[in-house]
Amino acid sequence: MSPDTAMTATAPAAEADVRKSSPGAAREPRRRPGRIRRIGLPYLLLLPALLLELLVHLVPMVIGIVMSFKELTQFYIRDWGTAPWAALDNYKVSVDFDAPVGKALLDSFLVTIGFTLLSVGLCWLIGTAAAICMQDTFRGRGLLRALFLVPYALPVYAAVITWVFMFQHDNGLVNHVLHDQLGITDQPSFWLIGDNSFFALLTVSVWKGWPFAFLIVMAGLQNIPRELYEAAALDGAGMIQQIRRITLPSLRPVNQVLVLVLFLWTFNDFNTPYVMFGKTAPEAADLISVHIYQASFVTWNFGTGSAMSVLLLLFLLVVTGVYLALTSRERRASHA
Amino acid sequence: MPSTPTTAPASPMAPPRSFLWTRRIFLTLLTGFVMVPVYVMISSSLKPLADVTGTFRWLPTELTVEPYIDIWSTVPLGRYFVNSLIVAGAATVCSVVIAVFSAYAVSRYSFRGKRVFTVTVLSTQMFPGILFLLPLFLIYVNIGNATGIALFGSRGGLILTYLTFSLPFSIWMLIGYFDSVPRDLDEAALVDGCGPLGALFRVVVPAAVPGIVAVAVYAFMTAWGEVLFASVMTNDTTRTLAVGLQGYSTLNDVYWNQIMAASLVVSVPVVAGFLLLQRYLVAGLTAGAVK
C-alpha cells in the first residue's frame, strides 16, 4: 500500500545534474532561477487535490466530530453553532445498550459485522476461484470475462432495482422458481421484510461485489511469472499444489489490500441497502450506514447521528490498524 | 461455451480432467448467477404491463417497445439523464486532471510530507459517507450564504463532491502507473528543453494512457451510480438518475416493465463504456495498483 518507492528519492538531484551538464538546459535560462520553484512545484501540483480533500473530507469530518458533542436537534439546525454543548451525552445515549437507541445501534452493528464478513468472504472466494479458473486461455475466455464484469459495471441502483423486482412476493422470479417451479417452499416467501431480507441483501451484495475481487486477482495473477509454474510442474507438483504453493502465496500482497478495501466498502455501503429497503430497513438487514442516516434525517437528531458516525469511524480505524499490523508482520515473517 | 480445453501451445502442465470438469461446472453456474438478473432486466423491459404484475414469466406473452416510449413521460427521465451526464462527465474530467498532477508529484519528486499526503488521501476511503454528509451540507449552505456561489442543490456542488470520491483510488493507481514509466524518458524530455509540465504532458501522460483511461472509467462509474449525496444535495431541477429512477415506484402502480426499461437505458452507456475499456482497466491495475 506504499506507492512511493525508493526510486523517487533520487529524482530531483538527477534532474538537476542533467540540466547543469546539458546544452539543452543552457538554452533555457528562464528556467534556472527556480530553486524555490523546484521545491515548490510538487506542492503546487498537489494543491488542487489537497484543497478538495480538505473541503469535502477533512473539514467536514472535524465539523462532524464537533457536532457530536452538541445537542443538535432540528431547533438549532439553521444555525448549528448556537446549539448548546452536550458534553458526552450523545455518546452516552449511543452506547447505553439497555436503552432503545443504544440497543438498536448495537443490533445494527452486529448485523453489519455478520453481513460484512460473509459478503467479503464470499466475494473473495468466488472472485479468486473464477480468476484462477480463467488463468489459462480457452475459447470464449474474453467473452466470459466481459460477462463477469457486467454486475460491477452496472450502476448500483439499476442492479439493485432489478433484484428488488426479482424478490417481489407476488410477481418476482425468486418465488416463481422456488415455489411454483421447484416446490421447495410451501408458500411464497417474503424476501424484503423479515429475517429473509438478510439473505436477500447478502445475495445482492455478493452478486455486485465479487467481480471487483475477480478483477484485482486477475490483474495480480498476471504478475506471477509462468516459469514458476513450469518449474513446479517439472518437479511433479499437481494442480492443487501449484495453486497452494505458488498462486496463493504470490497473491498475498494483493489480497492484503483487496480484503481491506472490500471490508471498508461493504461495511460503509449505503447505496445497496438504501435502494433495496428505502429509509427504514428491516431489522435483519439494518446496516449501520442506513441506521445512522435514519437516526439523523428521520428523527432530526444530528448530534446523536454524528456521535454514532464518530464511533463507527473509530471502530474502522482500529480494525484497519490491527489488520495492517497483523498482515504486515505476517508478510515480514514469511519473507524472513 | 465456457472452458473448452485450451488450444494454446501445450504447456508442460496440462490441467487434469477433473480440474477441467470442476472448472466447467463452476463457470457455468457462475455465468447463470451473473446473467439471470441481466436477462430479467432485458426481458421484462419488453413485456406488456400485465406480464410484470402477474406471476413471473420467463418469456413475454408478446414483445412490446412501449415501456421504452413511456419511460420518458412517466418521470422526466431526459432531464435526469442530462444532469447525470453533466455531473459525471465534469467530475471525471476534473478528477483525472487533478489525479494526474498529484500522482506526477508523488512519483517524480521527493518532498517533505509525501508520505503524510499519500496516507491521508488513502485513509479518506475509510470515512463513512454518513459522517461528512451533514457537515458538508452545512458547509455548502454557508458558502452559498456568504459568497452567493450555490453549491447546495446545484450540479456544481455534486461535481465537487463526486470528484473527491474517485480521487484517492485514482491517485494511488496513477502513482503506480507513473512509477512504471521509465524515468529516462522524462529526463530526455527535460534535456530537450521541456519544463516539468512539458515532460508530464508530452512523455509521461502518453505513456500512461491505459492507466489514465482506467482511472477515468472508474471516476465516471463512481459519479454515475452514487445515491446518498445525490438524494440529499439535489432538487427537482438538478436531480440525477440515481434518485430520479425511484420516481417509477412511488406512483400508485409500480410499472416494473418501465422500471426495467429505464434501468437498462441508464446502464447501457456505462456498461458499454466499461466493457470497451476493461482491457485498459486490467492492464492499468496490473501495471499499477497490484504491483
Side-chain angles (χ1 to χ4, degrees), chain B residues 84-106:
Chain B
S84 274
L85 267 181
I86 294 173
V87 169
T92 304
V93 172
C94 299
S95 165
V96 167
V97 171
I98 293 171
V100 163
F101 283 135
S102 303
Y104 183 65
V106 173

Side-chain angles (χ1 to χ4, degrees), chain A residues 61 64-65 68 91 305-315, chain B residues 131:
Chain A
M61 192 184 74
I65 293 173
S68 72
Y91 290 92
S306 302
M308 292 174 178
S309 311
V310 172
L311 289 174
L312 178 60
L313 178 64
L314 285 177
F315 169 76
Chain B
L131 172 60

Side-chain angles (χ1 to χ4, degrees), chain B residues 193-217:
Chain B
C194 285
L197 289 184
L200 169 63
F201 283 113
R202 291 199 199 143
V203 178
V204 181
V205 167
V209 163
I212 290 171
V213 172
V215 161
V217 172

